Amino acid sequence: MNSVDLTVKIGSLTLTNPILLASGTVGYGNEIAEFIDLNKIGGIVTKSLSLKPRKGNPPQRIVETPSGMLNAIGLQNVGVEEFLKEKIPFLKQYDVPLICNIAASSIEEYVECTRLLTTEDFIKAFEINVSCPNVKEGGLQFGNNPIAVGIITQKVKAVTNKPVIVKLSPNVSYISEFAKVVKDNGGDAVSAINTLVGTSFNINTRKPKIHNVFGGLSGPAIKPIALAKVLEIKQKVDIPIIGIGGIMNWKDVVEFMIVGASAVQIGTLNFIDPTASIKMIPEVEQYCLENNITQISELTGSYSSQK
Amino acid sequence: MFIYNSAIEKIIALENNIFLLKAHCPEIASTIQPGQFLNIKVSETTFPLLRRPFSVCDVEGDSIFIMFNILGEGTKLLQKKHIGDTLNIIGPLGNGFSLGGNFETAVIVAGGLGSAPFPYFIKKLNMDKKIACFVGGKSEHDVIQYGMRNVKVSTDDGSLGFKGNVVELLQQELSSYEYSKIKIFGCGPTAMLRSLREFTIKNNIECEVSTECAMACGFGICMGCPTESAKQNDKYLLVCKDGPVFNVKDVVI
């Protein structure tokens, strides 16, 4: 019987399959573990961690939009210290690559978080969030500034030997310029895309529906935009891409890989069907079998330019 | 927590655009507690994208009931469902009401659709407890007495029962010597829960309230449903996981 090799490499990081769970949609793994076997997933990206705990934004944090949702959680998280002490032990029961997402308010904080976390062997890579649209300081302020993204990439790389993935903002004119900066400063990969800035108002009260006014749009509504951003990076910069944005089924995974993603992350879908990510793995494998693909990375960037 | 497709067995129209939906889900029915909730995908498409949370209204054998009104697109779709259609349900979710304790009488205070969790609550309450229900609404059309017992009614416009809000009615009807013998269980609009909180804390009456907040997942991963903690200023509680039922002293409403 033919078989498909689903393993993918992101820099020095090897994943048993290309389907990861996206930051901010799996907490620290314990809740979703009630629904799926975490050993089977390609990897988990933690909720963004900051040096100190963050309370996050007041309610309302979420509003549904056509085929999407806006969120402004405000990076609520337990902080690095509690993460290492209280949250990692649960994840260590599983044989799953753990990628720590870091969100900070200053360059120094990104470096300090990485320095503290990198000593933990169970953490296999870092995803640097330079693109959260929902906090006043940091976040987009860095994500919109290629010089800052370059400095953060370089300084974080200097304190860890583990792969550094930079999660890029789509709220820029040319995302590929940022991917290039990441590559030039030693970054191992990019994740694309983070959420798009959006808002929603109540027409009766004329007030914003979410407390933060602006939120990040996610869900299937953003998939075409995410695909275009991945393709733009693929065409301009030679760097591994983790595709994110509105994946709802295995076909979306394949589509992201065709336009250039080496792996993908499942985000908003985890809220709707926490079991969906696992179910896609054999479905993607079946697609590969039917298309005579023996190593899944053959799919990456395999788009046809014929019109 | 379970997740599965559950067949709709019945949709019953009560008065005033209130509906009861009965669905077959044995695992949830045998474990769910009053005050816990279900997060339900009302369509198989991305319209609407997110699940809708409903508190369990009643349990009968292998089936659960939810109560809803037509409020938005999700509930509009739900009302149009047919017997045999399936709904994808996650549950039981969150923490329910405490059924035990030293109180003699369970005093239920419900506003509008806040009546939803109490039919099952009343069914599961220990036989030795007495029950008194205070049910309020803006007008008579908003008063839901389904499954309630020993009911006193209030309406803001005076179209039915006491004219005023349900907490005012409660204060008028309760005599202070009863305060130590009762426990209040509340569910309803935020303004109602806020005045119920004020009243019960001032008079040192035991009270649990069921709260609500917009949420996506319902089980703690989206962190979309924070509520202010009364005890810890530096972090929020999550309505879905730490609630939706809280001791009134633990939250700021």
Side-chain angles (χ1 to χ4, degrees):
Chain A
M1 198 183 94
N2 290 332
S3 68
V4 183
D5 179 4
L6 292 178
T7 56
V8 294
K9 291 199 83 166
I10 309 285
S12 60
L13 178 68
T14 302
L15 309 172
T16 55
N17 69 70
I19 297 176
L20 299 105
L21 303 179
S23 178
T25 69
V26 285
Y28 308 106
N30 50 319
E31 292 93 354
I32 203 157
E34 295 205 30
F35 295 102
I36 58 173
D37 179 2
L38 292 179
N39 294 309
K40 292 187 176 153
I41 201 77
I44 296 179
V45 191
T46 65
K47 175 79 187 150
S48 288
L49 292 165
S50 49
L51 196 53
K52 300 283 172 216
R54 287 186 76 123
K55 191 178 178 185
N57 293 329
Q60 187 166 340
R61 289 179 173 181
I62 278 180
V63 64
E64 189 171 20
T65 58
S67 293
M69 62 178 272
L70 286 164
N71 87 80
I73 307 301
L75 299 177
Q76 174 177 337
N77 80 94
V78 298
V80 165
E81 195 185 326
E82 189 180 330
F83 173 74
L84 287 171
K85 218 176 349 175
E86 309 289 338
K87 303 295 179 185
I88 275 226
F90 174 83
L91 288 163
K92 280 185 172 173
Q93 305 170 67
Y94 298 94
D95 181 19
V96 62
L98 180 68
I99 300 171
C100 270
N101 182 296
I102 300 172
S105 312
S106 69
I107 293 170
E108 295 72 29
E109 190 186 347
Y110 280 109
V111 173
E112 188 59 11
C113 287
T114 313
R115 206 181 54 76
L116 291 169
L117 290 165
T118 199
T119 56
E120 170 55 63
D121 289 341
F122 193 71
I123 298 168
K124 296 296 182 293
F126 294 100
E127 182 179 70
I128 305 300
N129 180 0
V130 292
S131 46
C132 176
N134 300 327
V135 290
K136 289 200 170 57
E137 74 286 1
L140 262 190
Q141 184 187 318
F142 295 127
N144 271 327
N145 179 345
I147 296 167
V149 170
I151 295 172
I152 293 166
T153 307
Q154 196 179 66
K155 295 211 166 180
V156 166
K157 274 300 284 184
V159 294
T160 181
N161 296 319
K162 295 173 184 174
V164 171
I165 303 154
V166 180
K167 188 168 183 177
L168 299 177
S169 170
N171 304 297
V172 296
S173 299
Y174 296 102
I175 199 169
S176 52
E177 288 178 359
F178 291 80
K180 182 165 189 314
V181 165
V182 171
K183 182 182 163 72
D184 292 347
N185 285 278
D188 298 274
V190 292
S191 304
I193 56 178
N194 205 326
T195 54
L196 288 136
V197 174
T199 190
S200 179
F201 274 68
N202 179 318
I203 61 164
N204 297 315
T205 62
R206 305 189 193 190
K207 289 180 182 169
K209 288 186 185 167
I210 40 182
H211 186 271
N212 193 54
V213 186
F214 298 103
L217 181 65
S218 66
I222 73 165
K223 194 189 82 172
I225 302 169
L227 286 167
K229 299 289 180 188
V230 169
L231 182 60
E232 182 196 324
I233 298 168
K234 184 68 190 169
Q235 290 176 331
K236 298 268 168 68
V237 189
D238 181 21
I239 189 167
I241 306 162
I242 301 176
I244 321 168
I247 292 176
M248 293 297 282
N249 53 52
W250 68 269
K251 292 177 187 171
D252 296 338
V253 174
V254 171
E255 197 176 1
F256 267 94
M257 294 190 76
I258 288 171
V259 299
S262 298
V264 297
Q265 292 179 13
I266 311 298
T268 301
L269 181 57
N270 294 322
F271 303 153
I272 302 158
D273 181 359
T275 65
S277 55
I278 289 287
K279 290 182 196 153
M280 289 177 200
I281 300 168
E283 292 169 335
V284 170
E285 187 174 13
Q286 184 62 28
Y287 169 88
C288 291
L289 276 175
E290 287 167 10
N291 289 276
N292 299 318
I293 293 162
T294 51
Q295 212 305 322
I296 193 160
S297 59
E298 291 167 35
L299 262 181
T300 299
S302 64
Y303 58 88
S304 162
S305 321
Q306 277 182 331
K307 301 228 167 67
Chain B
M1 279 189 288
F2 300 96
I3 177 167
Y4 54 78
N5 291 321
S6 161
I8 295 173
E9 295 174 310
K10 213 190 269 182
I11 299 176
I12 307 158
L14 302 178
E15 288 174 298
N16 302 321
N17 253 344
I18 304 293
F19 297 86
L20 282 179
L21 183 145
K22 184 183 184 189
H24 185 77
C25 25
E27 293 87 348
I28 295 177
S30 64
T31 51
I32 198 161
Q33 293 299 309
Q36 287 190 298
F37 71 103
L38 311 153
N39 213 5
I40 300 181
K41 186 82 173 80
V42 299
S43 77
E44 286 173 8
T45 69
T46 60
F47 178 79
L49 182 66
L50 301 176
R51 289 173 180 270
R52 296 289 184 268
F54 297 91
S55 54
V56 62
C57 177
D58 204 355
V59 172
E60 223 177 68
D62 286 345
S63 306
I64 54 98
F65 288 82
I66 58 164
M67 184 188 278
F68 64 96
N69 59 358
I70 314 277
L71 200 68
E73 300 301 339
T75 41
K76 202 188 281 176
L77 283 172
L78 206 51
Q79 186 253 324
K80 288 183 188 153
K81 297 275 178 192
H82 300 103
I83 292 169
D85 288 353
T86 58
L87 294 171
N88 190 273
I89 302 183
I90 299 181
L93 296 169
N95 299 305
F97 292 108
S98 335
L99 296 167
N102 291 324
F103 59 94
E104 287 173 15
T105 305
V107 176
I108 288 167
V109 181
L113 204 62
S115 294
F118 293 116
Y120 187 42
F121 174 87
I122 289 169
K123 195 186 263 186
K124 294 282 275 191
L125 196 66
N126 290 341
M127 297 291 279
D128 63 335
K129 307 285 188 200
K130 285 183 260 178
I131 293 164
C133 297
F134 293 84
V135 181
K138 284 182 196 146
S139 80
E140 59 178 322
H141 305 296
D142 309 308
V143 174
I144 304 171
Q145 300 187 52
Y146 176 84
M148 300 286 203
R149 264 199 255 157
N150 190 15
V151 185
K152 290 196 167 62
V153 171
S154 76
T155 50
D156 295 349
D157 65 3
S159 54
L160 190 68
F162 173 82
K163 185 174 192 298
N165 72 47
V166 71
V167 180
E168 289 164 356
L169 171 65
L170 180 73
Q171 293 181 46
Q172 181 187 287
E173 292 289 324
L174 285 182
S175 55
S176 56
Y177 75 89
E178 292 173 305
Y179 288 174
S180 61
K181 301 175 191 166
I182 62 169
K183 181 165 179 176
I184 293 176
F185 299 88
C187 184
T190 304
M192 181 203 108
L193 296 183
R194 197 173 287 144
S195 53
L196 188 61
R197 180 175 190 272
E198 204 173 294
F199 168 69
T200 53
I201 288 180
K202 195 170 96 190
N203 294 293
N204 205 21
I205 305 170
E206 285 287 306
C207 178
E208 287 181 6
V209 289
S210 178
T211 59
E212 65 178 350
C213 184
M215 60 179 69
C217 67
F219 53 91
I221 58 173
C222 75
M223 298 189 189
C225 58
T227 192
E228 198 77 57
S229 164
K231 294 181 172 163
Q232 280 181 293
N233 190 33
D234 58 343
K235 63 177 173 198
Y236 286 109
L237 298 165
L238 291 180
V239 169
C240 72
K241 225 182 136 181
D242 301 312
V245 175
F246 291 100
N247 184 316
V248 91
K249 290 175 190 155
D250 293 342
V251 284
V252 179
I253 297 168

